[in-house]
Amino acid sequence: MINKIKNFTNTEEKKRLFSNFFSLSFLQGANYILPLITLPYLVRVLGVEYFGLLAFATTMIAYFGIIVDYGFNLTATREISINRDNKEKVIEIFSSILTLKFILMIVSFALLFIIVFGFQKLSKDWLIYFLTFGTVVGQVLFPAWFFHGMERMKYITYLNILAKVIFTVAVFIFVKTHNDYYIVPILTSLGMVIAGILSLVIIKKEFNVYFKLQDINTLKYHLKEANYIFVSNISASMYTLTTTVFLGIFTNNIIVGYYAIADKLIGAIKNLIVPLSQTLYPYISNVAMKSKDEVIRIIKKLSLYLITTSFFLTLFLVIYADDILFIIFGDKSIHSIVIFRILAIIPFLVVVDTLFGTLIMLVFKRNKEYSKIITIAGMLNLILALLLIPLYQGVGAAISVLIVELFITCKIIYYVESNGFNIIIKRESHEK
């Protein structure tokens, strides 16, 4: 076993890849464990209704998080990775993305102000929405894309865990009754802003990369590069975020709370998949510049292990859904069991989407085609959600999301196989 590890890390590039995967796996382990500590506590202390309100507010603000991220999490990562040895170019990319994200944040806050005070149902809880917007500020300040591109994921691990530990500890100290529900978004935002400020200090100190004003043409270039990814992200929100928003519109905070219990637990499980994409995307982007065949070989090996593992994980979640929810959330989660079973299939599909979508289509710059798939999926979810949520409420929302995720997976696989990548249909007879 030790010899295998030594063989895997016999080059500097492989050592860095292994270190990045370990760092991000540790981070996602924390992302998995810490919510499992705070979520049950919040459900019990705040009750399903207030928990639903916070979930609805978080979902609303997540739209603005998509706006400020735009698509830079992939395009800027790729550009930094390719140009990491060119300091002037790195400074240009770093400064341009920060500038664009700050501008988009200002636009987002103006939109939030108009939306909140334009609807009575939202204006009565205006403070919750504005406090939750602090997470968007944290997103702008924290350039995870820079660390991904430089393949120095340990910094992301340290800072994200710091933010989450601050939140977790503070929740148990300050949130004691349902009247303390407004404290939750304050703590979430505070943790992210602190992590963001520290990340900028680290970038200046460790990489000697600093902010430098860029001309308008440079900003336009980086904005244009991310256009297709932004469209994909917005479209993806139509079958993730929009589902919760529609629940809030057509039902109430209690129904949203039941759906959020299942959805957030599945979200914590999906976080375990994130290191796969974040670690391999910049690495495979570099490999793709040299050899398409080598990328296909890597994906074939990964697909064998990851698809099998995720399938058995999904099977476990479906079979033991009622026990899992009761142990974590208690009897308040009884109305979430069916929803959880439906959503439990999604982590398996996300693994497939990551392997063939992110690590094939986006690596080989099939951004437009990928965006088209996600856009169609988003429109499909709008139709399904409008039909199913008024009839079946939370269960209808879960069915809608699952159908759309199945559609995305099938379309991505079809595109990859029909365009000469041959990951599934034409396997090598012997792997060396």
Side-chain angles (χ1 to χ4, degrees):
M1 184 62 161
I2 294 174
N3 289 331
K4 286 184 179 180
I5 295 175
K6 285 182 178 178
N7 289 334
F8 182 76
T9 58
N10 57 6
T11 67
E12 190 62 34
E13 187 177 44
K14 289 182 178 179
K15 284 180 182 178
R16 184 170 65 245
L17 184 66
F18 185 78
S19 172
N20 290 338
F21 183 77
F22 179 81
S23 295
L24 287 175
S25 295
F26 185 75
L27 170 61
Q28 294 311 126
N31 283 343
Y32 179 76
I33 294 170
L34 293 178
L36 292 183
I37 296 173
T38 55
L39 286 178
Y41 179 78
L42 290 174
V43 170
R44 287 176 168 87
V45 172
L46 300 180
V48 175
E49 183 174 2
Y50 281 112
F51 183 76
L53 170 61
L54 293 178
F56 183 78
T58 300
T59 302
M60 282 281 296
I61 300 306
Y63 279 109
F64 302 109
I66 292 172
I67 292 174
V68 300
D69 277 346
Y70 201 75
F72 304 131
N73 57 323
L74 290 176
T75 58
T77 294
R78 185 179 63 217
E79 291 297 312
I80 291 285
S81 176
I82 293 171
N83 298 283
R84 67 173 65 136
D85 296 323
N86 183 342
K87 185 179 174 182
E88 286 302 313
K89 186 66 176 177
V90 169
I91 289 174
E92 174 208 301
I93 299 166
F94 174 78
S95 303
S96 298
I97 302 306
L98 278 187
T99 301
L100 290 168
K101 286 169 79 74
F102 181 79
I103 293 170
L104 291 169
M105 182 187 73
I106 299 299
V107 173
S108 295
F109 186 78
L111 288 173
L112 175 65
F113 188 90
I114 294 170
I115 292 170
V116 167
F117 289 106
F119 296 91
Q120 186 177 0
K121 187 173 183 178
L122 301 180
S123 61
K124 63 186 179 68
D125 296 307
W126 66 270
L127 182 61
I128 294 298
Y129 298 104
F130 286 176
L131 291 175
T132 307
F133 190 82
T135 60
V136 177
V137 178
Q139 281 181 255
V140 172
L141 293 175
F142 186 46
W145 43 269
F146 176 88
F147 295 116
H148 288 152
M150 298 298 288
E151 294 191 59
R152 294 294 185 270
M153 278 66 155
K154 65 179 182 179
Y155 296 111
I156 299 175
T157 301
Y158 300 152
L159 294 169
N160 269 289
I161 288 179
L162 173 65
K164 287 173 173 59
V165 167
I166 289 173
F167 171 77
T168 301
V169 173
V171 160
F172 289 101
I173 294 174
F174 297 107
V175 181
K176 298 296 185 182
T177 71
H178 68 272
N179 292 321
D180 298 326
Y181 69 96
Y182 68 92
I183 296 176
V184 176
I186 294 176
L187 298 177
T188 306
S189 299
L190 185 62
M192 292 186 66
V193 169
I194 291 173
I197 293 171
L198 290 176
S199 71
L200 296 177
V201 173
I202 290 172
I203 289 171
K204 178 64 175 71
K205 183 177 179 181
E206 297 295 325
F207 301 93
N208 195 28
V209 172
Y210 49 86
F211 180 82
K212 182 179 179 182
L213 283 175
Q214 302 296 312
D215 61 70
I216 189 68
N217 289 328
T218 302
L219 296 178
K220 284 181 178 178
Y221 167 79
H222 288 289
L223 193 67
K224 185 178 179 180
E225 279 289 291
N227 279 347
Y228 287 122
I229 305 300
F230 175 64
V231 172
S232 297
N233 290 341
I234 287 292
S235 300
S237 74
M238 292 182 186
Y239 72 90
T240 53
L241 304 179
T242 301
T243 304
T244 303
V245 171
F246 278 7
L247 268 180
I249 293 172
F250 290 112
T251 62
N252 53 58
N253 288 334
I254 294 176
I255 300 298
V256 174
Y258 289 135
Y259 180 82
I261 287 172
D263 183 53
K264 287 186 178 295
L265 185 53
I266 292 298
I269 294 168
K270 286 195 295 184
N271 280 338
L272 297 174
I273 302 166
V274 173
L276 170 72
S277 175
Q278 292 182 335
T279 302
L280 289 174
Y281 182 74
Y283 171 72
I284 291 181
S285 292
N286 265 322
V287 174
M289 294 176 66
K290 305 167 188 174
S291 172
K292 174 184 173 181
D293 291 338
E294 179 63 13
V295 171
I296 292 175
R297 188 187 68 81
I298 293 171
I299 299 300
K300 281 183 178 181
K301 286 189 174 181
L302 286 172
S303 63
L304 176 65
Y305 298 110
L306 293 172
I307 291 176
T308 302
T309 302
S310 60
F311 173 79
F312 283 108
L313 172 61
T314 288
L315 197 61
F316 174 81
L317 295 174
V318 171
I319 293 172
Y320 296 103
D322 49 350
D323 296 319
I324 293 169
L325 288 176
F326 182 78
I327 290 170
I328 296 174
F329 296 104
D331 58 6
K332 292 181 182 295
S333 64
I334 189 171
H335 298 290
S336 303
I337 294 173
V338 175
I339 298 171
F340 182 82
R341 280 202 167 101
I342 296 168
L343 296 178
I345 301 170
I346 291 177
F348 168 74
L349 300 176
V350 169
V351 168
V352 179
D353 294 351
T354 299
L355 286 168
F356 303 139
T358 303
L359 300 182
I360 290 290
M361 293 185 70
L362 295 183
V363 161
F364 287 100
K365 296 190 176 183
R366 303 298 201 274
N367 298 11
K368 186 176 181 179
E369 293 82 358
Y370 183 82
S371 175
K372 184 178 179 181
I373 292 172
I374 302 300
T375 300
I376 295 171
M379 298 304 295
L380 175 62
N381 186 68
L382 285 177
I383 297 169
L384 290 173
L386 285 170
L387 292 173
L388 296 175
I389 289 176
L391 293 174
Y392 304 109
Q393 300 183 332
V395 172
I399 292 172
S400 176
V401 171
L402 177 60
I403 291 173
V404 171
E405 194 64 55
L406 281 167
F407 169 82
I408 291 171
T409 302
C410 292
K411 289 292 288 183
I412 286 175
I413 291 174
Y414 176 78
Y415 179 87
V416 167
E417 291 301 319
S418 63
N419 282 271
F421 290 100
N422 299 322
I423 304 295
I424 297 174
I425 295 173
K426 186 181 177 183
R427 288 192 177 275
E428 295 174 358
S429 58
H430 298 283
E431 286 282 359
K432 292 184 178 181

